[in-house]
Amino acid sequence: MHFPVYRPRRLRKNETIRRMVRETKLSPDDFVYPLFVVHGRGVRQEIQSMPGIAQLSVDLAVREAEEACGLNIPAVILFGIPAKKDARGTEAYAPRGIIQQAIRAIKKAVPDLIVITDVCLCEYTSHGHCGVVVEGEVQNDATLALLAKMALSHAEAGADMVAPSDMMDGRVRAIRELLDAKGFQDLPILSYAAKHASSFYGPFREAAESTPQFGDRKSYQMDPANAREAVREVRLDVQEGADIVMVKPALSYLDIIRRVKDTFKMPTAAYNVSGEYSMIKAAGRNGWIDEPRVMMEVLTSIKRAGADLILTYFAKDAVKILRHL
């Protein structure tokens, strides 16, 4: 029987050889760990649909940030749940708002940890939409000033990076112009550049208490069916001054991540969202899958698709596994 000269199995014969020739390798530097912050002290409210994740008061969020830093996770991203919601999301840009408090506390306790902040009104508005609502319609241009004001308040509190996730047209430019005018020209923007109107966000909306009170977000978040439009959205954000662009969700949008990376060749992030996390957790708890192995396979696939940064609730678990490889 005639065999080809090259036998690919030669480089698969044991784990050491496989590790030596592995093309895609995860490291702690790939991860950003999301935190949900609430008012109070000593508060840890478990999120039923996201096992292992909780709403945390500032003091416990600081502990979580310290643990993440100790695991060499380089960054966290903060989401806030306000004490009171109103139509214009006032606490989102209040100097003593929940996120502003959390930024100051975390940067004081863990100065080397990069603190990224989500810039969106949905957690703070009584109607649950990501912008100003007039007669049942989300107003794009009226929202921009509030988003820029929110980003500036985060910068003034000490944030290292701001991440607009609202999907209003022109918000990156509005934020960049205000930050520059106020002396924060060196503060980077991580833009949720191609954020899709996905069904994978359900558990997050429980965690962030941000479910829309009417309608949906399809008039501003992207149609999941559109790949070329995703490239156009990313291009606009790059032109407006985004330093890092993000695709959200990740797992069902690996093709978009690859297209964005190949087209723009700039730092690219992907959000391994709550529904993706919760499905793996649920299947693992039921014994249907090997949860750690599936987790690592999913994260590897996201990096292989082209993501330089992965926002993931698995960050701590993944790093603990990487330490033993």
Side-chain angles (χ1 to χ4, degrees):
M1 189 174 185
H2 179 69
F3 284 98
V5 173
Y6 178 56
R7 296 185 183 222
R9 288 185 58 187
R10 291 173 183 148
L11 299 182
R12 300 175 194 155
K13 63 187 300 182
N14 60 54
E15 176 57 25
T16 302
I17 291 178
R18 291 193 295 271
R19 192 170 68 245
M20 290 171 63
V21 300
R22 188 160 291 147
E23 298 175 21
T24 304
K25 297 182 180 181
L26 292 169
S27 86
D29 290 339
D30 297 325
F31 301 129
V32 177
Y33 187 47
L35 295 175
F36 298 96
V37 191
V38 296
H39 288 278
R41 186 166 183 82
V43 176
R44 182 180 181 89
Q45 181 65 43
E46 300 292 334
I47 299 162
Q48 185 176 1
S49 59
M50 298 178 69
I53 306 298
Q55 295 177 340
L56 304 168
S57 53
V58 171
D59 55 319
L60 297 189
V62 168
R63 291 188 196 173
E64 199 81 359
E66 289 172 334
E67 181 182 359
C69 189
L71 290 168
N72 292 324
I73 296 169
V76 295
I77 184 166
L78 304 182
F79 299 89
I81 295 90
K84 183 179 179 181
K85 302 185 182 213
D86 58 46
R88 295 178 67 85
T90 304
E91 191 178 314
Y93 39 88
R96 292 291 300 166
I98 185 60
I99 286 299
Q100 292 79 357
Q101 293 180 44
I103 295 166
R104 294 186 184 100
I106 292 172
K107 290 304 295 184
K108 182 179 180 180
V110 202
D112 292 334
L113 186 71
I114 297 298
V115 174
I116 307 168
T117 58
D118 179 74
V119 177
C120 189
L121 298 177
C122 63
E123 298 110 296
Y124 303 88
T125 55
S126 52
H127 47 71
H129 278 283
C130 301
V132 175
V133 172
V134 177
E135 296 181 355
E137 297 289 337
V138 177
Q139 303 297 303
N140 190 95
D141 295 4
T143 300
L144 299 184
L146 298 184
L147 294 170
K149 187 176 180 180
M150 182 180 182
L152 177 61
S153 75
H154 294 175
E156 291 173 338
D160 297 293
M161 189 180 303
V162 293
S165 65
D166 55 283
M167 288 300 285
M168 299 297 124
D169 294 338
R171 87 274 202 214
V172 172
R173 184 182 302 279
I175 291 169
R176 184 76 274 158
E177 289 179 350
L178 184 59
L179 289 177
D180 290 357
K182 296 297 184 179
F184 292 100
Q185 60 272 11
D186 293 330
L187 191 80
I189 295 175
L190 189 169
S191 171
Y192 288 64
K195 180 179 179 180
H196 298 80
S198 172
S199 299
F200 284 96
Y201 300 152
F204 174 93
R205 291 176 180 171
E206 177 191 347
E209 300 180 12
S210 62
T211 302
Q213 297 304 298
F214 65 89
D216 54 39
R217 296 180 177 142
K218 293 180 180 179
S219 70
Y220 44 102
Q221 294 179 359
M222 279 192 56
D223 186 335
N226 295 353
R228 292 190 298 273
E229 184 186 12
V231 173
R232 292 197 297 272
E233 283 278 10
V234 173
R235 180 173 286 110
L236 287 169
D237 283 8
V238 171
Q239 292 170 348
E240 291 177 18
D243 301 284
I244 303 172
V245 293
M246 182 156 67
V247 176
K248 181 181 180 182
L251 193 53
S252 290
Y253 298 81
L254 298 176
D255 61 315
I256 306 297
I257 297 169
R258 171 49 57 193
R259 190 177 293 213
V260 167
K261 186 65 176 180
D262 288 346
T263 301
F264 299 99
K265 297 179 174 62
M266 65 181 295
T268 303
Y271 203 138
N272 178 213
V273 299
S274 60
E276 298 166 351
Y277 171 87
S278 296
M279 288 192 302
I280 292 173
K281 281 289 184 182
R285 288 190 167 197
N286 278 287
W288 298 335
I289 60 170
D290 183 327
E291 180 186 320
R293 288 180 180 272
V294 171
M295 170 186 71
M296 298 304 285
E297 186 173 340
V298 163
L299 295 173
T300 299
S301 75
I302 296 169
K303 184 171 183 181
R304 189 184 66 237
D308 303 292
L309 298 174
I310 304 172
L311 285 68
T312 179
Y313 307 98
F314 284 124
K316 292 195 304 180
D317 292 342
V319 169
K320 290 172 184 176
I321 289 176
L322 289 173
R323 284 185 162 186
H324 294 94
L325 291 180

